[in-house]
Amino acid sequence: MRLGMQTVAVDPVLGPSVSPLTVNMRRFQPHAALLADWPQLDVVLLSHNHYDHLEEHTLRALARTPAQFIVPLGLGAYLKPLGVADSAITELDWWQHAQRGDLRITLVPALHTSGRSLSDGARSFWGGFVLQHGGERIYYSVDSAYGPHFAEMGRRFPDLGIAFVENGQYDRRWRDNHMFPEQTAQAAADVKPSRVMPVHWGAYSMAYHPWDEPVRLSVPAMRALGLQPLTPLLGQVFDAGTVTQEWYLGVK
């Protein structure tokens, strides 16, 4: 995203798989743009260390740029072996913020976990982000189960523009880590944004539901709650006022 003359990437993952075993959880949609085609990044936000949010190949490439990395507590230990300098890492606790010029970035709560192996569970923190520039406010929920923190977000950050809310990779067996579509809709209603964009569903399969089930169920539920969904094409440039179509309904 582009805010305050700065370019910000959130959980950039461009690899073929989001699993330590590269034969599964593979990308099923082509990239909208290769990393070499991206504009130079000023800020990289990382929400937690799961493989579908922290990908070594992409981050090794970004470590060679002047980008600053803003991450939850403990995540810096995973970045330094990838070549990210200490001076480029800012770690935050929930509700703490970092200031980059006139861009304010706050780490906010989520109900999730961390860990990349059987031995490093909960050794680093996780969280979503609120980005503020002037009167513009953008929220990224990160992976989260449903909880009262969404209503707290709505109280602490009124007048949110776009809310990017997790919608996908759910299953009854991990209901404490991800939301079902109706919960995504309710979480967005709690946050009260101008527009809501369901994310975490259109590139990699990590659960047993069909790839498009999350949006086919959540978008009507959002509209029933009076929300304005935002569903751009993959790679489309958009803002809070962009008119979008439910393009996935026409995909066989």
Side-chain angles (χ1 to χ4, degrees):
M1 57 187 81
R2 183 76 172 165
L3 287 169
M5 301 301 292
Q6 297 189 67
T7 302
V8 182
V10 184
D11 289 346
V13 174
L14 296 173
S17 169
V18 289
S19 166
L21 305 174
T22 57
V23 296
N24 61 355
M25 300 186 187
R26 297 186 63 81
R27 174 177 279 274
F28 60 83
Q29 302 267 25
H31 294 296
L34 299 176
L35 192 59
D37 301 321
W38 287 23
Q40 172 147 331
L41 298 179
D42 298 288
V43 179
V44 176
L45 305 180
L46 298 174
S47 61
H48 63 302
N49 71 357
H50 286 162
Y51 281 86
D52 59 320
H53 293 259
L54 190 158
E55 194 234 333
E56 291 189 8
H57 177 77
T58 301
L59 294 178
R60 286 186 187 276
L62 294 178
R64 298 191 292 269
T65 74
Q68 294 291 305
F69 293 74
I70 299 176
V71 304
L73 293 174
L75 203 64
Y78 293 86
L79 297 181
K80 293 171 189 176
L82 305 181
V84 181
D86 283 346
S87 59
I89 300 171
T90 299
E91 294 189 351
L92 300 176
D93 200 351
W94 285 352
W95 305 120
Q96 289 183 336
H97 72 271
Q99 197 76 31
R100 292 277 302 160
D102 54 3
L103 177 62
R104 183 184 179 104
I105 300 167
T106 304
L107 186 75
V108 296
L111 298 179
H112 200 53
T113 59
S114 68
R116 292 173 71 81
S117 70
L118 296 177
S119 61
D120 71 336
R123 289 191 180 177
S124 64
F125 211 20
W126 55 87
F129 292 97
V130 171
L131 296 91
Q132 297 169 267
H133 173 256
E136 191 167 16
R137 298 180 176 188
I138 294 175
Y139 170 53
Y140 168 55
S141 75
V142 75
D143 298 3
S144 181
Y146 181 74
H149 60 289
F150 291 111
E152 178 72 5
M153 287 294 309
R155 289 190 293 269
R156 291 203 186 206
F157 297 97
D159 303 319
L160 282 168
I162 301 176
F164 297 86
V165 182
E166 178 227 275
N167 182 207
Q169 319 316 323
Y170 46 79
D171 191 278
R172 298 290 175 189
R173 286 167 289 184
W174 50 84
R175 64 177 68 239
D176 293 333
N177 282 305
H178 291 281
M179 291 186 286
F180 295 94
E182 65 276 9
Q183 293 176 314
T184 293
Q186 185 58 58
D190 293 348
V191 172
K192 303 175 183 175
S194 297
R195 302 291 299 276
V196 56
M197 180 171 165
V199 296
H200 208 248
W201 61 274
Y204 301 90
S205 285
M206 295 170 279
Y208 298 104
H209 56 69
W211 72 274
D212 57 348
E213 179 183 284
V215 281
R216 287 178 180 267
L217 297 180
S218 67
V219 167
M222 290 174 185
R223 290 205 174 101
L225 293 172
L227 297 164
Q228 298 293 322
L230 184 63
T231 54
L233 289 164
L234 299 180
Q236 180 180 352
V237 177
F238 65 92
D239 60 25
T242 300
V243 176
T244 59
Q245 305 295 323
E246 294 176 53
W247 57 268
Y248 45 85
L249 297 178
V251 177
K252 300 295 185 182

